[in-house]
Amino acid sequence: MSFVNTLINGLNVGVIYAMIALGYTMVYGIAKMLNFAHGDIIMVGGYTICVFAAMNTSPAFFPVVILVAVLLCTLLGILVERLAYRPLRGASPLAVLITAIGVSYLLQSLALILFGSAPKYVSVPQLGKISLGALQIKVSTLITLVAAIAVMLALTLFVKYSKTGRAMIAVSEDRGAAQLMGINVNSIITITFAIGSALAALAGLFYLLQSPYITNTFGAMPGIKAFTAAVIGGIGSIPGAMIGSIVLGLIESICDSIPVITPYKDAIEFSILIIILLVKPTGILGKVRREKV
């Protein structure tokens, strides 16, 4: 594999991780909790695409399939936040963490009951490749890169300039002060979950464009990798989630290009996480926060 191919594949994987990591980092930055069920939202989006794409295999119908998957995942994210996490708003972090793990296993088990354990083929459009000189690039890879960059820019502008985005920043900085200023904290956290879940559905789509098979654990490892990327970049930081994801994607692509170390790529990635946390515990762009007592 050429260096350019390795770079493109790394960017492709990295931006998919980034879309998942943004959900982790936004929820942590605003609600101060780790939603370990986030990876399973990807799986729900994937199965939604699988079911609806099988109903109509026409490429013209596929945008409708994507819209349905995004809407369903958004509603699921809102439902999970409302039923599982909002009642624990004042509970200890350990209670919230255990609940998140429980929600994750619940979604996986429901998918196992409904769809079985065998991998399901998902009927996604075959987009082919384009040639740039001697370089062959998948159209799906280009779509993933362009769409992910557009989504990240839109999200950054939304958080920075919109009224809701500024409210998110306020809740992230000081939830109590934001509430005194008239901000509905519960609504802001719900919106954050909705955005993160919608991005998870898109990430599931981009994964299926690369490998059109799905199981009930489809989102488990991508979710863990994206969480790792968020921690590397500085969890709670949107630019940090992007940078950490690109770094992790490039590392993974480089490992895949060297057959001798390919079986050990997961160990290498998590080892790099440990090293970065030892050197800079807050991650690349993370900030040290002073806790009030």
Side-chain angles (χ1 to χ4, degrees):
M1 184 186 292
S2 69
F3 173 75
V4 176
N5 272 327
T6 300
L7 179 63
I8 291 173
N9 289 339
L11 290 173
N12 181 47
V13 174
V15 294
I16 295 174
Y17 286 159
M19 297 189 75
I20 309 169
L22 284 170
Y24 275 117
T25 206
M26 287 182 68
V27 169
Y28 179 81
I30 294 170
K32 298 296 181 291
M33 62 161 288
L34 296 174
N35 179 22
F36 279 115
H38 190 66
D40 299 290
I41 304 291
I42 304 169
M43 176 266 296
V44 172
Y47 273 119
T48 303
I49 293 171
C50 177
V51 170
F52 282 88
M55 294 179 180
N56 189 332
T57 57
S58 170
F61 184 71
F62 199 69
V64 177
V65 174
I66 297 171
L67 180 61
V68 171
V70 170
L71 288 175
L72 184 62
C73 287
T74 301
L75 291 174
L76 178 61
I78 293 171
L79 185 66
V80 167
E81 189 278 330
R82 183 67 183 84
L83 297 181
Y85 299 139
R86 188 177 296 186
L88 299 174
R89 195 78 83 218
S92 68
L94 181 60
V96 178
L97 180 63
I98 293 172
T99 301
I101 295 171
V103 172
S104 173
Y105 280 112
L106 172 64
L107 293 175
Q108 288 185 26
S109 298
L110 288 174
L112 184 63
I113 293 169
L114 291 173
F115 300 101
S117 60
K120 300 284 186 184
Y121 174 77
V122 184
S123 181
V124 295
Q126 300 301 312
L127 302 174
K129 298 180 180 180
I130 61 172
S131 299
L132 297 176
L135 188 64
Q136 296 278 327
I137 304 177
K138 290 182 178 179
V139 174
S140 60
T141 297
L142 291 177
I143 291 174
T144 299
L145 290 170
V146 172
I149 291 170
V151 167
M152 291 174 200
L153 288 175
L155 183 60
T156 302
L157 293 173
F158 170 77
V159 171
K160 191 172 183 180
Y161 295 109
S162 72
K163 183 178 178 180
T164 302
R166 292 195 295 271
M168 288 178 174
I169 295 172
V171 172
S172 174
E173 292 294 331
D174 192 322
R175 187 184 300 179
Q179 198 161 13
L180 290 174
M181 294 298 292
I183 295 173
N184 189 326
V185 173
N186 284 333
S187 295
I188 293 300
I189 293 175
T190 299
I191 292 170
T192 304
F193 269 84
I195 293 172
S197 299
L199 293 177
L202 291 176
L205 165 67
F206 295 144
Y207 255 108
L208 290 173
L209 288 175
Q210 309 304 318
S211 178
Y213 290 91
I214 184 171
T215 66
N216 68 310
T217 57
F218 175 73
M221 185 54 73
I224 293 172
K225 295 280 187 74
F227 172 70
T228 300
V231 173
I232 288 174
I235 193 162
S237 166
I238 290 177
M242 298 179 191
I243 292 172
S245 298
I246 296 299
V247 168
L248 197 68
L250 290 172
I251 292 170
E252 187 167 312
S253 183
I254 291 169
C255 290
D256 282 335
S257 68
I258 305 173
V260 176
I261 65 174
T262 297
Y264 310 103
K265 69 178 180 181
D266 290 344
I268 292 170
E269 290 169 5
F270 293 124
S271 297
I272 290 172
L273 168 65
I274 293 170
I275 293 169
I276 289 177
L277 290 179
L278 288 173
V279 175
K280 197 173 188 298
T282 57
I284 296 171
L285 295 183
K287 296 179 181 179
V288 177
R289 292 180 181 265
R290 293 182 179 179
E291 298 291 335
K292 297 179 181 180
V293 294

